Amino acid sequence: MGLPSAVLPGEPEARRGGEEGRDNDIVRETFERTGASVMGRRMFDAGERMWPEEAPFHTPVFVVTHTGRDPWERPGGTTFHFVDEGIGAALDRAREAAGDRDVRIAGGGATILEYVNAGLVDEFSIALSPVLFGSGVRLFEGVDADRVALEQVRVEPSPWATHVTYAVRKR
């Protein structure tokens, strides 16, 4: 379950990545408490091309889409379900599948923003790292500040990233 590793010229051996360290512990802890995930169609499309045959989720994943599709079962316990009835329906199905475990809104940014603005997120974590993947979505751009307040509840730095957790409160 190692995090992606990039080695920069002159980078110390201790920062070259691997299977251990606090960053991996945080990822492992997140996946251990997650019973189902939700993601947007663009994130699924990007991941479908890049994930290994055994997708990294190992739980049901509900993909918010405008086009229905039959479930896609992958080795290791991941089945992608395509939900074309909106974010509420995808979350309801994920909650049912998760039981007493967490539902993780895996992304992308526009999907997470939609859930935050709808008041459907209790807490979220961000791993800030100096690695850029495409143009992305600006952090917090589009949050409805008249309806949503973010309260920082935890910050944990590591050599690779700064992990920040926010509680989402209604105004």
Side-chain angles (χ1 to χ4, degrees):
M1 181 186 286
L3 294 174
S5 178
V7 179
L8 303 174
E11 187 171 20
E13 183 72 29
R15 288 204 42 190
R16 291 184 181 217
E19 296 293 322
E20 298 304 321
R22 186 61 189 138
D23 295 300
N24 284 76
D25 292 345
I26 290 169
V27 170
R28 192 174 10 263
E29 290 162 5
T30 299
F31 276 90
E32 286 173 355
R33 70 176 186 266
T34 299
S37 294
V38 174
M39 71 177 57
R41 181 61 191 239
R42 285 192 328 206
M43 181 170 177
F44 170 80
D45 288 344
E48 185 177 22
R49 292 186 297 273
M50 297 182 330
W51 290 318
E53 184 179 354
E54 186 174 316
F57 303 97
H58 307 287
T59 62
V61 177
F62 297 88
V63 180
V64 179
T65 182
H66 296 291
T67 308
R69 174 176 158 181
D70 289 335
W72 186 43
E73 195 169 330
R74 306 301 303 144
T78 301
T79 299
F80 293 93
H81 303 272
F82 300 87
V83 182
D84 60 1
E85 294 95 24
I87 65 169
L91 182 58
D92 289 344
R93 291 182 60 190
R95 282 181 174 149
E96 184 178 329
D100 61 354
R101 295 170 71 197
D102 288 350
V103 172
R104 178 174 173 259
I105 311 297
T111 300
I112 292 170
L113 180 63
E114 195 171 353
Y115 277 97
V116 167
N117 283 335
L120 298 172
V121 174
D122 299 321
E123 183 178 283
F124 67 90
S125 297
I126 300 171
L128 300 170
S129 182
V131 176
L132 303 176
F133 298 105
S135 61
V137 173
R138 289 178 188 233
L139 193 58
F140 306 124
E141 184 174 57
V143 170
D144 186 348
D146 292 332
R147 296 179 48 210
V148 176
L150 303 179
E151 176 186 334
Q152 186 175 309
V153 294
R154 190 169 43 258
V155 176
E156 185 172 351
S158 79
W160 286 100
T162 300
H163 303 272
V164 185
T165 301
Y166 293 92
V168 180
R169 308 279 188 238
K170 293 182 182 179
R171 288 196 189 261

